[in-house]
Amino acid sequence: MASGTTAPPPSAGLGRIVAASLIGTTIEWYDYFLYGSAAALVFGRVFFPESDPLTGTLLSFLTYAIGFVARPVGAVVFGHYGDRLGRKKLLVISLLMMGLSTALIGCVPGYHTIGVAAPLLLTTLRLIQGFALGGEWGGAVLLVSEHGDARRRGFWASWPQGGAPAGNLVAVGVLSLMTTVLSDDAFDSWGWRVPFLLSAVLVMIGLWIRLSVDESPLFKEALAAAERHKAEQRAERPPLVAVVRDHWRDILVAMGARMAENISYYVITAFVLTYCVEHLKIDKQTSLNAVLIGSAVQFCLIPLFGALSDRVGRKPVYLVGAVGVGLWSWAFFALLDTRSFPALVVAVTVGLIFHSAMYAPQAAFFSELFATRMRYTGASIGAQLSSVAAGAPAPLIATALLGSYGNSTPISVYVGLAALITVVAVLAARETRGRDLAAIEPGDGAAARTTAGRRTAAST
């Protein structure tokens, strides 16, 4: 099998792959984060109007959390077929599913119109969103990782990661625009629906771009090898069975590594809206603008942290981010409590800087843990299983802690414990920078020695 490090593709071709992955992930994260922002700002009044404001927001975040339950299911299904049929085909399907479900959310009548059916429909569409996103992330980052070379994999693979802040930036920006031009009554009545309906247009653009890219060359090579094995009557295990058997340690590493990254992000970008609007009585526009600025800064920093991980390693950059968010969570709420807009911007932006140090190298780091014919499944399952325990309940837990204690101290403790778990997981992993993806064999992951990987890293 040809090495993934000796024949990097032309930069123009790789640029097209990166652009397609970035635009696709931006659209899918736009859809996903739009729900979180709307849950914090308006869903409580539209779908749970009979509850008090904080309880209504809590119920909205519950429907938000339910979507995370479907993400591991999506990871298994999309990972299985992505490892069997190819990355590109499954990415097209995930984009269509996400866009359609998001547009339909914009059409769901409120509680006053159809009663309890309204939150039930909302929850069903949220589950479809989660299922689609569970398959999106792994495919998008692998498509870039498997096209690029080991020397700059951290930089190139970080670009699809930029889809998260970019999607959040667009989602919050559209919501901010709607709250600026509309009255509160108009926004609650119909204005919040416009950003969801806009998803249909964005998906068509994303599909046009995503259909123009080629399948991963490493996957083509691995598929050809599998066909040869099949001809020789050597049975190949299903990707899920294979990855659990051969890479279970790497799945645990990926899950632990995501705890602080996932929890901190949803506290900083979703729960912050509830904390500012409901607890501190800061207007929606001011809160949204702080998240807007922080997301813009994060989008610019992610490729820089990805490039840094190519120079110093995935682990050091990741650890700085994990320790940083754990410590910053205390200053984060102290700055919010000042009710000063500059302080809000600093709180959100610095928090997202530390988050970027984890999120940027994550794509390359996870890709470098798994063999090619089980990489989509392994990376997706490792990432999405943790989202059920981390990202799903994060706004819900933070809101419940705020309601029970009336202050932010237990929330900071919560983020700090997540950071501790991530530090332990990353320290338990071996450094993966410079690994030849084509040379990784089953069971050759975070806990294994890779001579080819060390040799490649040394040459850089």
Side-chain angles (χ1 to χ4, degrees):
M1 185 178 295
S3 170
T5 62
T6 57
S11 58
L14 181 56
R16 185 170 63 251
I17 297 293
V18 170
S21 292
L22 173 60
I23 292 171
T25 53
T26 297
I27 293 170
E28 295 224 25
W29 282 115
Y30 164 83
D31 292 344
Y32 208 71
F33 288 142
L34 184 61
Y35 191 104
S37 298
L41 295 175
V42 70
F43 280 178
R45 294 187 295 277
V46 175
F47 296 102
F48 306 99
E50 297 184 351
S51 304
D52 63 83
L54 191 60
T55 302
T57 301
L58 197 61
L59 291 170
S60 296
F61 277 141
L62 181 60
T63 67
Y64 173 76
I66 286 173
F68 284 79
V69 177
R71 285 170 66 169
V73 181
V76 171
V77 174
F78 279 88
H80 174 86
Y81 289 103
D83 282 328
R84 291 295 178 127
L85 304 176
R87 294 29 171 149
K88 176 181 172 178
K89 296 182 180 68
L90 275 296
L91 286 173
V92 169
I93 295 173
S94 71
L95 186 62
L96 279 172
M97 289 183 66
M98 177 67 86
L100 180 61
S101 59
T102 303
L104 288 175
I105 287 173
C107 301
V108 176
Y111 183 89
H112 289 309
T113 303
I114 60 173
V116 72
L120 289 177
L121 284 172
L122 183 71
T123 303
T124 300
L125 293 171
R126 178 62 176 173
L127 285 169
I128 297 173
Q129 276 192 326
F131 181 82
L133 191 64
E136 164 68 21
W137 181 85
V141 300
L142 293 187
L143 199 61
V144 176
S145 295
E146 293 179 346
H147 271 86
D149 63 293
R151 188 174 61 86
R152 302 192 68 195
R153 185 178 297 127
F155 171 73
W156 288 116
S158 70
W159 280 98
Q161 300 291 79
N168 198 31
L169 185 65
V170 177
V172 175
V174 174
L175 281 173
S176 179
L177 176 64
M178 299 306 295
T179 59
T180 300
V181 301
L182 297 176
S183 66
D184 287 345
D185 288 342
F187 180 77
D188 288 356
S189 175
W190 61 269
W192 67 269
R193 299 179 183 275
V194 174
F196 285 90
L197 297 173
L198 179 62
S199 174
V201 178
L202 296 177
V203 165
M204 297 310 297
I205 298 172
L207 279 176
W208 176 68
I209 296 171
R210 187 159 275 182
L211 287 169
S212 69
V213 303
D214 295 325
E215 183 55 81
S216 155
L218 278 183
F219 175 79
K220 290 179 181 179
E221 293 172 359
L223 182 61
E227 292 297 327
R228 290 195 297 270
H229 292 168
K230 183 178 180 181
E232 297 168 3
Q233 297 184 338
R234 293 162 58 187
E236 185 180 35
R237 293 192 303 268
L240 177 60
V241 174
V243 79
V244 171
R245 175 177 174 176
D246 297 327
H247 287 282
W248 63 269
R249 291 182 182 86
D250 306 309
I251 292 175
L252 292 178
V253 165
M255 290 175 62
R258 286 214 78 195
M259 293 300 289
E261 177 266 307
N262 229 214
I263 288 173
S264 65
Y265 190 77
Y266 290 107
V267 169
I268 293 168
T269 61
F271 173 72
V272 69
L273 299 177
T274 297
Y275 188 82
C276 289
V277 175
E278 301 293 344
H279 182 64
L280 300 179
K281 306 304 179 185
I282 299 172
D283 66 273
K284 290 192 292 284
Q285 188 63 50
T286 300
S287 306
L288 286 168
N289 287 344
V291 177
L292 267 173
I293 294 171
S295 296
V297 172
Q298 183 180 32
F299 177 76
C300 297
L301 286 178
I302 281 180
L304 300 180
F305 278 117
L308 182 62
S309 77
D310 286 327
R311 296 183 63 86
V312 304
R314 317 296 184 216
K315 288 178 61 175
V317 178
Y318 212 111
L319 287 170
V320 167
V323 173
V325 295
L327 297 175
W328 185 251
S329 63
W330 298 91
F332 177 76
F333 288 105
L335 288 168
L336 296 183
D337 289 342
T338 67
R339 294 178 172 81
S340 162
F341 178 67
L344 264 63
V345 171
V346 171
V348 172
T349 301
V350 175
L352 290 179
I353 289 173
F354 285 124
H355 176 267
S356 300
M358 293 182 285
Y359 200 57
Q362 188 180 96
F365 182 31
F366 289 6
S367 299
E368 292 159 345
L369 296 178
F370 302 96
T372 301
R373 286 287 280 169
M374 57 190 79
R375 184 170 293 131
Y376 200 148
T377 301
S380 297
I381 289 176
Q384 302 308 333
L385 277 177
S386 61
S387 70
V388 176
L396 193 65
I397 290 173
T399 302
L401 290 172
L402 180 64
S404 297
Y405 294 92
N407 62 71
S408 62
T409 299
I411 305 172
S412 297
V413 172
Y414 169 53
V415 176
L417 290 174
L420 180 61
I421 294 172
T422 292
V423 168
V424 171
V426 174
L427 287 175
R430 290 184 181 272
E431 179 57 61
T432 63
R433 176 177 69 98
R435 299 191 77 184
D436 184 346
L437 295 184
I440 300 175
E441 297 295 333
D444 200 24
R449 295 192 303 171
T450 306
T451 302
R454 289 201 306 275
R455 185 165 56 242
T456 304
S459 69
T460 62

